[in-house]
Amino acid sequence: MKRLVLSFASLLLAETAFAFPVTVDSCGTPLTFDAAPKRAVIQDLNMAEMAFALGLQPSIVGLTGITGWYKVGPEFKAEQGAIPELAPKYPTLENLVAVEPDFFFAGWYYGMKPGGEVTPDTLAPHGIKTLVLTESCVHLDQNRPAASMDLLYGDVEKLGKIFGKEAEAGKLVSNWKAQLADITAKIGDRTGTRVFLYDSGEDKPFTSGKFAIPSASVFVVRQSDAVAKLRLLYVEPSARGLGIGKRLVEECIGFCRDTGYRTLTLWTNDVLTSARRIYEAAGFKLTNEERHHSFGKDLVGQNWNLEL
């Protein structure tokens, strides 16, 4: 009986070993693994949650791009445990190489920029294999599909295959599909509903998307009963030059007029020339400037006002 148990255990181990090598697609490039990664780094909150859902924490040596972009809750912190955050936003090559990873899960404009310091090509010489988030592939090839639940399912299944957790990944995806089917059944044939999730602030946020991915945003916040402030105008590099920033500022101005504000104010730095051109074209007037040292640089801060 003992020999039978040992033989059965050996068979299970052999089957696990024969699961590798595995090959997955990463933005059209085949990525082959001879064994499950043991020192993974994961970029961004959503990708980290995908990895946590598969229980990959023992194989993760670091996270990047979390606290610089998000406010995380106690549930995420509990899942993260002692895993360190290596960089609050985009990691540098030095950040990554220092922890000697063998795997990086990130995306274009989610931790990596085309031609930047951290790309699959720059990481490969250091023995780091990069799985690119599928929804981000469209930034390099506009013929690729836009973000969808199917792409999410596919990436979870890829992670499962890479880490030898195909059964767990399959179960997760099946459960998500069942939940989505239940929601769809409750909604019925109503289509085209637009949903914007906004969980903080007093006035209005404005956003714009491309490829089903948020690409630009700006906020209008109350400064006083008569004065509103334009804050945090940002357009992703992949969406610049399309007039999105101009349109967002115009929407903010219209909102402020409709709401009864008399003045719209903003603060920026003189080096942000593209943004300044948008403000000037919209009628903002420069009121004062002040030198300051921020982000490791000597800058000139500017206050602009628009009388409504």
Side-chain angles (χ1 to χ4, degrees):
M1 181 66 179
K2 187 176 180 180
R3 289 183 179 178
L4 179 62
V5 172
L6 289 174
S7 297
F8 182 65
S10 300
L11 179 61
L12 287 177
L13 289 172
E15 286 181 351
T16 302
F18 285 135
F20 289 92
V22 298
T23 300
V24 298
D25 176 84
S26 181
C27 275
T29 299
L31 197 61
T32 299
F33 295 82
D34 294 322
K38 291 181 171 57
R39 300 184 61 81
V41 174
I42 312 295
Q43 164 76 26
D44 191 82
L45 182 73
N46 293 331
M47 283 175 270
E49 289 183 333
M50 292 163 65
F52 293 169
L54 288 171
L56 301 184
Q57 287 92 327
S59 301
I60 299 174
V61 295
L63 304 177
T64 56
I66 307 293
T67 59
W69 304 112
Y70 308 98
K71 291 182 179 179
V72 298
E75 298 86 356
F76 182 88
K77 290 180 180 178
E79 293 278 1
Q80 180 180 356
I83 300 172
E85 183 177 32
L86 309 178
K89 291 187 175 180
Y90 277 61
T92 64
L93 185 60
E94 183 180 2
N95 293 150
L96 296 174
V97 172
V99 296
E100 300 180 343
D102 54 6
F103 177 79
F104 186 41
F105 184 27
W108 296 115
Y109 301 108
Y110 294 94
M112 303 187 297
K113 296 179 181 178
E117 180 185 13
V118 175
T119 69
D121 288 341
T122 63
L123 295 179
H126 299 278
I128 306 169
K129 294 185 177 182
T130 304
L131 178 65
V132 180
L133 183 73
T134 304
E135 72 174 52
S136 74
C137 301
V138 71
H139 289 302
L140 299 190
D141 180 2
Q142 296 190 16
N143 293 317
R144 302 278 302 196
S148 69
M149 292 300 295
D150 286 336
L151 297 189
L152 168 66
Y153 301 151
D155 280 341
V156 170
E157 290 168 342
K158 288 177 188 178
L159 282 177
K161 192 172 183 180
I162 291 168
F163 284 88
K165 288 182 172 280
E166 288 186 83
E168 292 89 335
K171 185 176 179 180
L172 271 176
V173 170
S174 294
N175 288 339
W176 288 338
K177 287 182 176 179
Q179 292 177 36
L180 186 58
D182 182 56
I183 294 170
T184 302
K186 291 176 180 177
I187 293 174
D189 60 0
R190 287 175 291 171
T191 59
T193 301
R194 291 177 176 268
V195 178
F196 184 90
L197 178 62
Y198 179 50
D199 60 4
S200 63
E202 294 181 353
D203 280 332
K204 264 198 175 182
F206 298 82
T207 188
S208 175
K210 185 182 181 186
F211 310 130
I213 304 170
S215 301
S217 63
V218 67
F219 290 81
V220 173
V221 298
R222 178 183 179 275
Q223 186 160 299
S224 69
D225 288 344
V227 180
K229 190 167 187 177
L230 188 75
R231 297 198 62 218
L232 302 175
L233 174 63
Y234 177 75
V235 180
E236 285 279 0
S238 61
R240 292 173 188 171
L242 302 175
I244 293 174
K246 176 176 178 290
R247 176 64 186 276
L248 287 177
V249 171
E250 290 172 350
E251 290 288 338
C252 290
I253 293 171
F255 165 75
C256 290
R257 284 180 173 142
D258 292 343
T259 307
Y261 287 114
R262 296 178 183 175
T263 303
L264 181 58
T265 186
L266 66 89
W267 180 88
T268 189
N269 282 302
D270 67 333
V271 295
L272 302 175
T273 54
S274 296
R276 284 173 44 221
R277 283 196 291 268
I278 292 173
Y279 304 142
E280 288 181 281
F284 282 85
K285 304 298 182 185
L286 178 64
T287 58
N288 67 286
E289 296 181 309
E290 183 176 344
R291 295 185 179 279
H292 65 101
H293 186 82
S294 300
F295 315 109
K297 297 180 180 180
D298 292 322
L299 300 168
V300 177
Q302 298 181 330
N303 288 297
W304 295 72
N305 285 350
L306 174 65
E307 299 304 322
L308 301 170

